[in-house]
Amino acid sequence: MNKKGSSSKKIIMILCIITAAAIAVTIWALFFRNTSPELAPDYAPQQEEENAEAIPGDNAEKMETPEGGSAVSISYSKELKISLSDETASLYFANPGKSNQDMVLQISIQDEVVVQSGTIKPGNQVSQLKLLNDEAGKLSPGGYDGKFIVLYYDPDTGEKAVVNTEIPVTITVNE
């Protein structure tokens, strides 16, 4: 009887520890884990995208727009790759010189922003962007449906335009 009593106490003790650990993980997941998407800035980031480079041969004139309006042109590839080891996204995205708006590019997977560029001025393109902090740890190798979220900003005031553009893309994640 002593043996049975002590083994059942051990089982109860182990179950209590497992329950306490489960409660601790639940509290962490609900209150302390940061799962909110990256917010779109109301004003263009002061820092231009460090990986932006001039578009070769881009000498188009600015598009005409009515007073108070804007016009944009974008070029992009619908497929991109993310390298977990380098924590970078390889892509093609361009803001041609005929646009009259600055742009910020976000890449979203399952409604979570994993990449956000600095300001991409008209006449510039990017082929590589860094992942946001800790995003590489949330992804596994494989294929994902994602989207480009293009945010537009007035180049003079830095104010965010009312509209943005969402473009479906295919994302391949590699080690």
Side-chain angles (χ1 to χ4, degrees):
M1 184 160 157
N2 231 356
K3 243 183 186 180
K4 263 190 177 175
S6 70
S7 68
S8 66
K9 283 183 182 179
K10 284 182 184 178
I11 291 173
I12 290 173
M13 179 80 75
I14 290 170
L15 290 174
C16 286
I17 291 170
I18 291 171
T19 302
I23 290 171
V25 168
T26 302
I27 289 171
W28 171 79
L30 290 174
F31 299 107
F32 300 107
R33 185 176 64 165
N34 182 11
T35 58
S36 59
E38 187 79 10
L39 298 175
D42 292 325
Y43 294 90
Q46 295 296 317
Q47 181 180 359
E48 286 187 40
E49 175 54 46
E50 61 187 26
N51 293 316
E53 52 192 19
I55 300 170
D58 182 24
N59 52 9
E61 290 185 28
K62 297 278 184 206
M63 293 191 287
E64 290 191 30
T65 57
E67 189 173 326
S70 61
V72 295
S73 173
I74 56 176
S75 297
Y76 57 90
S77 172
K78 292 184 81 163
E79 295 181 4
L80 61 125
K81 292 182 182 354
I82 291 179
S83 169
L84 296 177
S85 59
D86 294 341
E87 296 188 11
T88 58
S90 298
L91 62 137
Y92 174 73
F93 182 85
N95 182 5
K98 61 184 174 180
S99 293
N100 67 11
Q101 297 283 289
D102 291 345
M103 297 179 189
V104 170
L105 176 66
Q106 294 180 331
I107 299 171
S108 172
I109 297 175
Q110 297 172 357
D111 294 325
E112 183 162 345
V113 176
V114 296
V115 173
Q116 180 170 303
S117 74
T119 302
I120 303 169
K121 300 264 185 208
N124 287 292
Q125 65 184 6
V126 292
S127 58
Q128 189 172 59
L129 295 171
K130 289 201 97 24
L131 293 174
L132 293 172
N133 291 340
D134 303 324
E135 293 303 322
K138 296 178 184 178
L139 297 171
S140 300
Y144 294 86
D145 290 326
K147 61 184 166 185
F148 282 156
I149 302 169
V150 186
L151 310 170
Y152 305 103
Y153 294 89
D154 183 283
D156 298 325
T157 65
E159 235 180 306
K160 184 176 181 301
V162 177
V163 298
N164 62 18
T165 302
E166 294 187 4
I167 303 165
V169 294
T170 303
I171 302 170
T172 302
V173 177
N174 299 311
E175 281 296 329

